[in-house]
DNA sequence: CCCGGAAGAG
DNA sequence: CTCTTCCGGG
């Protein structure tokens, strides 16, 4: 049953883990969807298909049933489930692929960047896969993305790396059902992180895991914690660069760059640079801006300059009432200390990272600050790259800045993962709202092959059959026409906006954008929400062909995925689904449009 | 089918 | 807050 190829499939680990739900740690729908998506048992019901991040619910009823089982809501049905999915639109976790029934698209960028800034969003151009990228850090060996230029540049047929698979496999152990909690998902990595935050992280509670600030180092330290992995400065550098480029290619928010002030964006042609010195990483020291982000594009140099055009996200239309309150309130009765692990034991997960230590063998060099436990409180270890540098603090600075922005923005518009609110700095105002945006549709594949690709395996179905459907009407939203418009209002927004509260500023910008968008291209949405004009920003870079990456039907590679599903949840609720995940209880209709 | 508002549960 | 339920409207 099932082709080997499809089984494996890599998925976004990051996606799975820390979803930390704010209020309740119940599993979240998107999370659940992701889970289903990664298991071949459910490929008959739901699977990646089409563009990056796109998936189709082949059997809505079944999915609903599963979801209902998971949530113990027997009354669940697709209608309701879809409503829930619709709520994700505003959060931008998900989008609807117009024109295709039961087809939605994940917005991983948001997740990724927020949670794991280091993840490469590699989507190789050639890979239409919908399967999302995976954090390289997750790999057992934590291998860096292809460092060779060639690799990087290559369009890549399929670059899945073994490592990746391993990672995927490792991650895969969670069961889909399990009423107890969705949290169970987090496991190894979290632990590392969790461990640290152990309690302090003011108020961090669960949420702490996601804290952006932490996230960086979390990623790094995690592997280290678990596996004693060490980094090699060079590798690190490469990795970072790759990531950066990746981000760049994707037009992700500069936010990402800011996180790594010392990184130089690799030139389009060759990222590599004299090994002798690490120009990029080495002298970090802060400086907030000085670091050169050489971008082919021109202005990327200084984030503040706003090389990117950012589009603001549309206001949350819906409702958002008070959101600020949470800042410190972390009531957590249990204070997080107790182990939330409910089903944790599920399977014996082998120690996640125990293996490879070899990789780092040499490197170490205090690259990463140790994850020592105590750092948590005020100082974060950050990634210290090389002794030489001293990124340490500066990062914070930068980050702080942006984060603040981000925070504001996010808060305002996006509730997602980053709830974290760091202490806000008084002077924050000066920051440009610039970043943020990346969300957008994000999914469009970058015109050029991104540098590093993590590898993702293709959608199962695709494997057997080429993604012909590509012809789809193409969402208008995705690839807007030229749209240079966005650039127009530079983020700077000079004129005295400074004093204006961020919110207002954003709003203003938003309106502007809207207007522009409208004029430029209005077809988009009937409603104002128009996909926030995402596309525009990109236009410049990728110009046209993004869609054309047609030829990409990579055969699904047969990764080792271990299919075991620990689905056993203790109880009954699960039984149902467990019974026949893939067993068709209903006739599969041909939903294909 | 898909979209969102409204109310409400946990 | 996230999601569940209902529901009127395209």
């Amino acid at each position: 049953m099932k082709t080997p190829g499809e089984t494996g499939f890599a998925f976004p680990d990051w996606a799975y883990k820390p979803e930390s739900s704010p209020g309740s740690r119940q599993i979240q729908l998107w999370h659940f969807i992701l889970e289903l998506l990664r298991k071949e048992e459910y490929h008959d019901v739901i699977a990646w298909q089409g563009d990056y991040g796109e998936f189709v619910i082949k059997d809505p009823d079944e999915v609903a049933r599963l979801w209902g089982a998971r949530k113990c809501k027997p009354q669940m049905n697709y209608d309701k489930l879809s409503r829930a999915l619709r709520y994700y639109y505003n959060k931008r976790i998900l989008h609807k692929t117009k024109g295709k029934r039961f087809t939605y698209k994940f917005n991983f960028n948001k997740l990724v960047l927020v949670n794991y800034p280091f993840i490469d969003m590699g989507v190789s151009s050639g890979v239409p896969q919908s399967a999302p990228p995976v954090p390289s850090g997750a790999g057992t060996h934590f291998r860096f993305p292809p460092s060779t230029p060639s690799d990087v540049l290559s369009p890549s047929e399929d670059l899945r790396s073994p490592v990746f698979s391993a990672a995927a496999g490792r991650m895969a152990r969670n069961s889909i059902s399990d009423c107890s909690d969705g949290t169970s998902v987090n496991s190894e990595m979290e632990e590392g992180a969790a461990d640290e935050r152990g309690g302090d992280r003011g108020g961090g509670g669960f949420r702490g895991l996601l804290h952006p600030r932490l996230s960086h180092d979390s990623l790094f330290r995690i592997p280290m914690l678990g596996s004693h992995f060490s980094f090699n400065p060079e590798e690190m550098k490469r990795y970072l660069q790759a990531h950066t480029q990746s981000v760049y290619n994707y037009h992700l928010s500069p936010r990402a760059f800011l996180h790594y002030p010392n990184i130089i964006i690799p030139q389009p042609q060759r990222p590599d640079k004299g090994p002798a010195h690490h120009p990029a990483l080495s002298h970090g020291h802060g400086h907030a801006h000085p670091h050169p982000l050489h971008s082919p594009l021109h202005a990327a140099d200084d984030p503040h300059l706003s090389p990117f055009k950012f589009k603001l996200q549309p206001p949350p239309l819906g409702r958002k009432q008070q959101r600020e309150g949470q800042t410190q309130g972390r009531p957590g009765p249990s204070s997080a200390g107790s182990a939330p692990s409910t089903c944790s034991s599920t399977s014996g997960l082998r120690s996640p990272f125990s293996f490879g230590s070899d990789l780092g063998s040499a490197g170490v060099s205090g690259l990463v600050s140790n994850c020592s436990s105590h750092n948590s409180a005020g100082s974060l270890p950050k990634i210290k790259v090389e002794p030489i540098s001293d990124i340490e603090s500066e990062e914070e600075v930068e980050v702080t800045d942006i984060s603040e922005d981000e925070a504001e923005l996010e808060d305002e518009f996006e509730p997602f993962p980053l709830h974290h609110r760091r202490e806000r700095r008084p002077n924050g105002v000066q920051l440009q709202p610039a970043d943020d945006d990346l969300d957008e549709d994000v999914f469009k594949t970058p015109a050029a092959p991104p540098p590093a690709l993590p590898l993702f395996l293709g959608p199962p179905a695709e494997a057997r059959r080429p993604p012909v459907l590509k012809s789809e009407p193409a969402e208008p939203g995705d690839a807007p026409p030229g749209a240079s418009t966005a650039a127009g209002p530079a983020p700077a927004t000079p004129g005295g906006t400074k004093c204006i509260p961020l919110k207002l500023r954003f709003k203003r910008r938003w309106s502007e954008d809207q207007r522009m968008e409208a004029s430029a291209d209005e077809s988009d949405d009937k409603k104002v929400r128009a996909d926030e004009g995402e596309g525009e920003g990109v236009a410049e870079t990728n110009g046209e062909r993004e869609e054309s990456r047609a030829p990409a039907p990579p055969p699904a590679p047969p990764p080792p995925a271990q299919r075991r599903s620990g689905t056993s949840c203790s109880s009954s609720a699960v039984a149902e689904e467990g019974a026949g995940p893939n067993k068709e209880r209903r006739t599969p209709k041909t939903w294909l449009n």
Side-chain angles (χ1 to χ4, degrees):
Chain A
M1 0 177 141
K2 261 77 205 205
T3 8
E6 32 184 40
T7 57
F9 225 112
F11 322 111
D13 312 342
W14 45 269
Y16 297 85
K17 20 174 48 36
E19 85 281 307
S20 69
S21 285
S24 56
R25 59 170 85 343
Q26 261 190 26
I27 188 173
Q28 296 198 298
L29 179 55
W30 63 269
H31 201 296
F32 178 77
I33 295 290
L34 243 32
E35 269 184 47
L36 291 178
L37 245 25
R38 73 154 23 162
K39 308 208 162 213
E40 70 259 52
E41 295 99 291
Y42 301 96
H43 282 353
D44 291 334
V45 263
I46 186 174
W48 292 114
Q49 201 175 80
D51 286 341
Y52 180 67
E54 229 175 67
F55 65 92
V56 54
I57 295 175
K58 297 172 180 171
D59 183 347
D61 293 332
E62 182 61 15
V63 172
R65 193 163 11 255
L66 292 168
W67 175 234
R70 175 70 154 232
K71 294 288 294 291
C72 299
K73 294 283 181 202
Q75 300 304 315
M76 183 53 61
N77 58 34
Y78 180 71
D79 189 39
K80 293 169 185 169
L81 182 148
S82 66
R83 181 70 190 86
L85 290 176
R86 266 175 252 134
Y87 271 121
Y88 286 143
Y89 297 171
N90 286 337
K91 290 179 181 155
R92 284 166 335 157
I93 289 172
L94 225 56
H95 278 277
K96 179 76 182 72
T97 297
K98 294 174 187 128
K100 287 181 176 174
R101 258 187 333 191
F102 309 124
T103 302
Y104 299 82
K105 199 152 106 178
F106 265 107
N107 194 346
F108 291 109
N109 278 335
K110 204 58 173 192
L111 298 173
V112 170
L113 288 182
V114 170
N115 297 302
Y116 303 91
F118 279 89
I119 288 160
D120 315 353
M121 297 293 297
V123 172
S124 69
S125 54
V127 191
Q129 278 24 339
S130 1
V134 175
S136 337
T140 27
H141 289 137
F142 191 84
R143 208 156 259 157
F144 293 90
S147 34
T148 357
S150 52
D151 286 344
V152 174
L153 297 179
S154 79
S156 71
E157 310 282 305
D158 47 12
L159 308 167
R160 322 148 288 187
S161 83
V163 176
F164 179 67
S165 317
R170 202 182 83 258
M171 300 291 220
R173 53 171 107 358
N174 298 302
S175 58
I176 284 189
S177 53
D178 156 341
C179 296
S180 48
D181 74 323
T183 328
S184 55
V185 190
N186 53 358
S187 17
E188 42 262 75
M189 291 190 152
E190 287 325 50
E191 291 190 358
D195 189 22
E196 305 271 293
R197 72 178 168 72
D200 33 295
R201 207 128 264 121
F206 215 83
R207 213 170 268 164
L209 294 177
L210 293 185
H211 199 297
R213 242 128 139 220
L214 288 182
S215 39
H216 305 66
D217 51 308
S218 307
L219 229 176
F220 289 96
R221 69 171 81 158
I222 286 163
M224 303 190 66
L225 272 183
S227 67
H228 309 85
F229 168 85
S230 354
F231 292 76
N232 186 330
E234 275 298 320
E235 290 183 328
M236 174 69 102
K237 181 174 86 180
R238 291 233 197 76
Y239 174 71
L240 292 177
Q241 289 184 336
H243 176 254
T244 306
Q245 182 166 348
S246 179
V247 170
Y248 177 78
N249 287 343
Y250 283 86
H251 291 86
L252 298 180
S253 164
R255 174 198 312 170
F257 292 111
L258 293 179
H259 285 288
Y260 318 114
N262 297 318
I263 302 301
I264 292 178
I265 294 181
Q267 298 300 321
Q269 298 106 65
R270 280 184 76 81
D272 106 78
K273 43 223 20 246
H277 212 282
H278 318 303
L281 292 179
S282 28
H283 71 26
H285 222 52
H287 333 341
H289 22 187
H291 50 301
L293 283 177
H294 300 69
S295 75
L297 283 195
H298 53 293
D301 309 1
D302 185 335
H304 295 298
L305 297 184
S306 76
F308 295 84
K309 320 119 179 242
F310 308 106
K311 273 290 200 164
L312 287 182
Q313 313 175 350
L317 356 149
R319 62 348 168 50
K320 66 122 30 10
Q321 326 182 42
Q322 38 67 332
R323 30 186 31 332
E324 322 264 345
Q326 52 183 352
T327 309
Q328 31 78 331
R330 238 291 71 48
S334 53
S335 87
S338 50
S341 59
T342 345
C343 323
S344 55
S345 56
T346 9
S347 47
L349 344 117
R350 18 358 197 299
S351 58
F353 301 93
S354 32
F355 21 57
S357 30
D358 52 312
L359 202 155
S361 50
V364 190
S365 57
L367 239 199
V368 173
S369 53
N370 329 314
C371 353
S372 60
S373 20
H374 68 3
N375 44 358
S376 44
S379 54
L380 309 150
K382 252 60 226 170
I383 20 172
K384 241 172 190 142
V385 181
E386 279 218 309
I388 320 170
S389 64
D390 353 331
I391 303 179
E392 37 196 12
S393 30
E394 100 264 352
E395 196 217 10
E396 220 151 358
V397 176
E398 292 262 344
V399 172
T400 311
D401 280 359
I402 50 170
S403 12
E404 185 170 355
D405 265 348
E406 190 173 275
E408 283 297 36
L409 258 181
E410 300 288 337
D411 249 20
E412 189 46 0
F413 307 134
E414 173 143 32
F416 206 11
L418 40 142
H419 300 340
H420 41 284
R421 252 168 183 325
R422 49 223 59 225
E423 66 261 40
R424 8 184 94 240
R425 303 185 152 220
N427 62 0
V429 189
Q430 57 187 50
L431 311 175
Q432 300 297 338
D435 68 76
D436 157 301
D437 76 1
L438 53 117
D439 36 328
E440 257 6 89
D441 290 14
V442 179
F443 278 141
K444 36 182 111 5
T445 15
L453 335 158
L455 32 162
F456 22 4
L457 322 160
E462 284 330 19
R464 333 180 206 227
R465 117 176 117 84
V468 182
L469 43 155
K470 278 330 271 110
S471 54
E472 68 172 1
E475 328 177 5
D478 271 11
S484 39
T485 28
T493 318
T497 17
K498 302 181 176 162
C499 300
I500 300 176
L502 288 173
K503 276 188 181 175
L504 287 180
R505 285 201 322 212
F506 293 148
K507 251 181 188 166
R508 253 177 82 188
R509 283 198 55 199
W510 166 239
S511 339
E512 278 185 332
D513 285 346
Q514 287 286 293
R515 276 211 304 266
M516 286 187 165
E517 206 164 25
S519 59
D521 138 67
E522 37 122 325
S523 52
D524 226 354
D525 252 5
K526 33 177 109 198
K527 280 196 151 193
V528 185
R529 78 173 332 165
D531 286 330
E532 43 282 54
E534 63 254 37
E536 298 83 343
V538 185
E540 187 173 353
T541 323
N542 64 11
E544 59 274 305
R545 58 166 59 147
E546 52 186 7
E547 288 265 356
S548 49
R549 61 236 168 121
Q562 31 135 128
R563 50 197 294 64
R564 139 307 168 211
S565 38
T567 337
S568 55
C569 213
S570 44
S571 319
S572 38
V574 183
E576 210 174 327
E577 61 172 305
N582 63 1
K583 252 22 288 146
E584 25 305 20
R585 352 148 100 54
R586 61 355 152 171
T587 356
K589 315 170 138 206
T590 10
W591 302 93
L592 299 181
N593 278 351

